[in-house]
Amino acid sequence: MSKDIFLTNSFGSKKEKFTPINSKKIGMYVCGPTVYDNPHIGNARPLVIFDILFKILKLKFNSSSVTYVRNITDVDDKIITSSKEKNITISELTSKITKIFHQDCEYLFCEKPTYEPKATENIELMIKMISDLISNGYAYEKNNHVYFEVNTFADYGKLSNKNIDELVAGSRVEVSENKKNPADFVLWKPSNEDEPSWSSPWGKGRPGWHLECSVMSKKYLNNEFDIHGGGRDLIFPHHENEIAQSRCANKTKSFAKYWIHNSFITMSNEKMAKSKGNILKIGDFKNKVSGQVIRLALINAHYRQPLEWNDELIKNCKNILDKWYTVYIKVDEINSIPDEILEPLFDDLNTPGYIAKLHELYTAAVNGDDSNKKLFNQACNLIGLLLEDDKKWNSYKKVNIKISEEEIIYKINERNTARKNNNFKLADKIRNELFENGILIEDKDDKTTWKYK
C-alpha cells in the first residue's frame, strides 16, 4: 500500500504526514470513559473516530504492529458524587456503567482495543510516578496533597498554544491554599472515610485524574509513543497536564508525537453536554435503529468539525443503509481496496469524502457483477458498516410497526378487491395507510408483495 497517512496534529495545529516512531510498534492511546453515568452520543463520537483510525493503521502497517490502549477511569470525584446520589456503592456503580459502556461499544460495532486498563488496577504505578516527580523537583506535598508545579515545566501550554495566565483565566481551576500557584494541579489528594483510598507516602488518599492516563499510557506504550487521542475538550487541562507530568517524570523531550482531537456534537448549534440538559444516551437508540445507523451518522461530518445531531440526520443515514443493503454480500477479509478509494481516509480521516466514494461504489455494484459488490462491501466493512447480514438489518424495520402480518395480508386482499372493482380511490387509500404503518407494497405480474420500508 503506497499511500501515506496524514493527520492534523493539535500540537502545532497543522496537518502532518504520519511517520511512526517504529513502524512495527505503533502505539495509540485514547482517553476512555469516566464510569459515573451512561455514555451519551457525544461520548460515542471519539469511540467511532478512533476505531476507524485503528482500522486504517492496521490496514496500512498490519494488525500485529498496532497497539491501541483505551482506559477506564473508575476512581474520580464524579464517581463518588454519582454513587451517593444513586445510593449505591462505588463498586456497584463502576461495574454497572462499565458493562453498559462495553455494550454500547458493541452496539456501535467498535473493535475492542488491544488493552483496556482500569485506573484502580494501577495505583502503585501512580504512586511511583508521583514519587519520581517529587524527586525530580517538579512536584511538592502540602497537607497530604501533592501538586505538580507548572512553573517548573517551561513548555507548559504549548499544546493549547497559550501561556499559563491565559489558561488559568479561561478555565475553572481548583482554588486551594495548599497551592504555590493557581495553575498547579493535583497528583494525589486525601480521601474522606467513606471514599476510596490507598496507602501512600503522603497518607491515605487517591490519585488525580490527569495522572492516571500518564501512568497507563507509559505502562503499555512506554515513555514516548505515536498517537494520543480524545475530544477537544480534553486539550486543557487534561492533555496539557499529561504532557507536563509525563515528560518531567520520564525525563523525555516528548510524550505523544501526534495529538488528535475530535470536535463536539451539537444540538440546535449548542454543544451536547450534561450541564445544558441536552444529552442523548447511546442506549436511547437501541431497539430502535441499528448501531450502524448511529455509526454512519457520527462520521457524517469531518471529525474536526462540529456535528449537528437531529432526527433528519438519523433518517438520512438509515435510508442510505437501506439502499446499500440491497447489494450486501458477506466478505471474509479486507485486502484489495485500491488506493484511490482509500485516499479520503488517509487524508486526515476525511469520512465525508470516503462516504462519497462509497456512493460511487454502490452505483457500480448495482450495475456490475459480484466483484463490484465485493469491493463495495469490503470498503463498507473497513469503516464498520454492512457488518450485519441483510436478514438482521431488515429485522430493525419491524421495530415500532404497529400492524400485524395478518392485518397486512387482509389489507392487501381488500385493496386487490377494490382494484378489481375499479375502486382506485379506495385502493390508493389502503396503499397509503400501509405506507404510513411502515409497509411498502409492490404490484407485479398480477401479484402484490410487501416488505417493511
Side-chain angles (χ1 to χ4, degrees), residues 342-357:
L342 297 170
E343 186 174 0
L345 290 181
F346 279 50
D347 183 15
D348 199 22
L349 300 182
N350 181 2
T351 51
Y354 189 72
I355 291 168
K357 293 278 188 183

Side-chain angles (χ1 to χ4, degrees), residues 3-27:
K3 290 209 69 65
D4 292 318
I5 295 173
F6 287 83
L7 297 169
T8 295
N9 192 349
S10 298
F11 206 103
S13 300
K14 61 182 179 180
K15 188 157 63 174
E16 301 175 11
K17 177 182 171 181
F18 175 68
T19 305
I21 298 168
N22 180 342
S23 62
K24 294 184 178 179
K25 290 185 178 180
I26 296 167

